[in-house]
């Protein structure tokens, strides 16, 4: 009895099938991973779960949420933003827990007139308190192709990435500076396309042109590798995930500095007028 699974035996093929299907599951399928939660049919999962589209018109936007909730994770998703005149539109991509003292990690993409730059708006809420906005331009046109936007959330820090380049880091300064850090409320992933013409484009100066509707954004290759909470959780495997200890090496810090010196539009930590009592404590951290 050499081996119970010899090549070319039926059990060999079923083993192969299991291996193939699990590797597909790892690549992400929107049918398995998310629910479209609003928009009356304006959100659609197509191509056997490989592509999700959201649309927005005068009567409604649309959105989806992950089936799973996570406590720490590494989320990657490719997004192609609304093209043409997208002024007034906001494509949101964020993690959030529930309740008044909720935690939240936000990417919001603020549209613009044709040819004018999108703004990537980021924020971090801890224990219900945000006011930590940082905004960036991108170094490419985000409406021409899909690009990867990622959130790393582990016990030491939160990092926002664009195509693998870190643009922002929020460190866990709970012990040293008393800044609350999200580490005990599970978060779900949410994404939506909606209208915010009151503030999104040049602070609300440029309104949405509804003649361009419906506005559309595309999503693909969601990879939500998190510590799943709830009945389906197998938390035992979570400590071994590489991203749980992932830090920013010298090269990554250099890249982040490049983005922040060349593409940053707004940084709450430089807005002394806004905080007359002094900048928030995390702003003085090295
Ligand atoms: C839109 O374009 C204008 C002009 O270039 C720019 O000032 C603004 O920051 C851009 N983005 C948004 C979202 O308003």
């Amino acid at each position: 009895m050499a081996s119970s699974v010899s090549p070319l035996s039926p059990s060999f093929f079923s083993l192969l099938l299991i291996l193939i299907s699990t590797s597909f599951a790892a690549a992400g399928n929107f049918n398995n991973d998310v629910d479209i939660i609003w928009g009356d049919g304006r959100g659609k999962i197509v191509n056997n779960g490989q592509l999700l589209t959201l649309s927005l018109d005068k009567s409604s936007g649309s959105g989806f949420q992950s089936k799973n909730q996570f406590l720490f994770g590494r989320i990657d998703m490719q997004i192609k933003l609304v093209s043409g005149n997208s002024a007034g539109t906001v494509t949101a991509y964020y993690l959030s827990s529930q309740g008044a003292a909720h935690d939240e990690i936000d990417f919001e993409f603020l549209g613009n007139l044709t040819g004018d730059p999108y703004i990537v708006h980021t924020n971090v809420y801890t224990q219900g308190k945000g006011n930590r906005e940082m905004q960036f331009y991108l170094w490419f046109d985000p409406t021409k192709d899909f690009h990867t936007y990622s959130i790393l959330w582990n016990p030491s820090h939160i990092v926002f990435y664009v195509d693998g380049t870190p643009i922002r880091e929020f460190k866990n300064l709970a012990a040293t500076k008393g800044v609350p850090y999200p580490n005990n409320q599970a978060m779900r992933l949410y994404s939506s396309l909606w209208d915010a013409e009151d503030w999104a484009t040049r602070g609300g100066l440029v309104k949405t042109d509804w003649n361009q509707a419906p506005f559309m954004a595309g999503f693909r290759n969601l990879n939500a590798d998190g510590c799943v909470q709830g009945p389906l959780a197998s938390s035992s495997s979570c400590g071994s995930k590489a991203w749980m200890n992932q830090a920013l090496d010298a090269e990554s810090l250099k890249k982040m500095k490049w983005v922040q010196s060349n593409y940053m539009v707004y940084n709450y930590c430089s807005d002394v007028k806004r905080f007359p009592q002094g900048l928030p404590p995390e702003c003085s951290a090295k």
Side-chain angles (χ1 to χ4, degrees):
M1 293 256 281
S3 156
S4 57
V5 183
S6 70
L8 305 180
S9 75
S11 51
F12 173 78
F13 282 110
S14 48
L15 187 67
L16 199 65
L17 268 181
I18 290 168
L19 288 175
I20 290 170
S21 54
T22 42
S23 59
F24 269 117
N29 181 309
F30 284 113
N31 286 312
N32 303 333
D33 297 343
V34 308
D35 293 309
I36 293 180
I37 47 165
W38 62 286
D40 284 322
R42 288 175 182 79
K44 290 190 177 72
I45 296 175
V46 295
N47 297 358
N48 294 316
Q50 301 304 298
L51 177 70
L52 191 157
T53 58
L54 292 181
S55 91
L56 160 73
D57 56 46
K58 188 128 206 202
S59 22
S60 179
S62 49
F64 63 93
Q65 69 179 35
S66 61
K67 292 186 196 283
N68 282 329
Q69 296 191 60
F70 311 99
L71 186 62
F72 306 123
R74 162 92 202 203
I75 317 284
D76 303 282
M77 188 158 57
Q78 292 193 310
I79 308 177
K80 189 172 174 181
L81 295 169
V82 175
S83 62
N85 180 357
S86 59
T89 72
V90 174
T91 306
Y93 162 43
Y94 60 103
L95 294 171
S96 183
S97 62
Q98 304 280 312
H102 77 294
D103 301 320
E104 192 176 312
I105 305 169
D106 289 333
F107 263 117
E108 287 185 312
F109 302 93
L110 315 184
N112 217 332
L113 294 169
T114 308
D116 279 348
Y118 260 80
I119 281 180
V120 181
H121 174 101
T122 63
N123 203 353
V124 176
Y125 284 73
T126 60
Q127 297 291 308
K129 193 186 148 298
N131 298 328
R132 298 191 177 101
E133 299 85 357
M134 286 174 73
Q135 297 184 330
F136 305 87
Y137 290 140
L138 291 164
W139 47 96
F140 52 84
D141 179 349
T143 71
K144 287 273 183 288
D145 283 302
F146 283 88
H147 289 269
T148 305
Y149 303 92
S150 315
I151 297 170
L152 167 70
W153 169 36
N154 71 23
S156 320
H157 61 173
I158 291 162
V159 185
F160 296 78
Y161 293 89
V162 174
D163 286 335
T165 297
I167 62 166
R168 174 177 187 178
E169 180 184 30
F170 181 83
K171 290 183 183 161
N172 184 347
L173 300 169
T176 51
K177 302 238 169 202
V179 181
Y181 187 80
N183 62 3
N184 59 10
Q185 304 189 81
M187 300 204 234
R188 219 182 266 286
L189 167 71
Y190 297 87
S191 207
S192 55
L193 175 57
W194 46 289
D195 185 63
E197 62 178 359
D198 295 346
W199 60 269
T201 306
R202 298 182 60 197
L205 234 58
V206 186
K207 303 295 179 198
T208 304
D209 178 5
W210 292 110
N211 292 322
Q212 309 299 317
F215 301 98
M216 295 266 258
F219 302 80
R220 66 181 197 195
N221 290 332
L222 168 62
N223 187 12
D225 187 15
C227 309
V228 176
Q229 303 295 297
L232 297 176
S234 61
S235 54
S236 53
S237 60
C238 208
S240 62
K241 303 273 193 187
W243 49 257
M244 275 298 268
N245 308 306
Q246 191 178 329
L248 291 177
D249 58 17
E251 184 61 21
S252 304
L253 287 170
K254 208 171 120 190
K255 284 185 181 164
M256 187 164 74
K257 205 166 170 197
W258 171 77
V259 174
Q260 295 188 352
S261 355
N262 293 287
Y263 296 95
M264 190 150 65
V265 179
Y266 176 81
N267 180 1
Y268 75 110
C269 280
S270 317
D271 196 347
V272 286
K273 276 206 208 106
R274 181 179 173 192
F275 301 101
Q277 322 294 355
L279 291 170
E282 68 272 17
C283 293
S284 57
K286 285 262 156 47

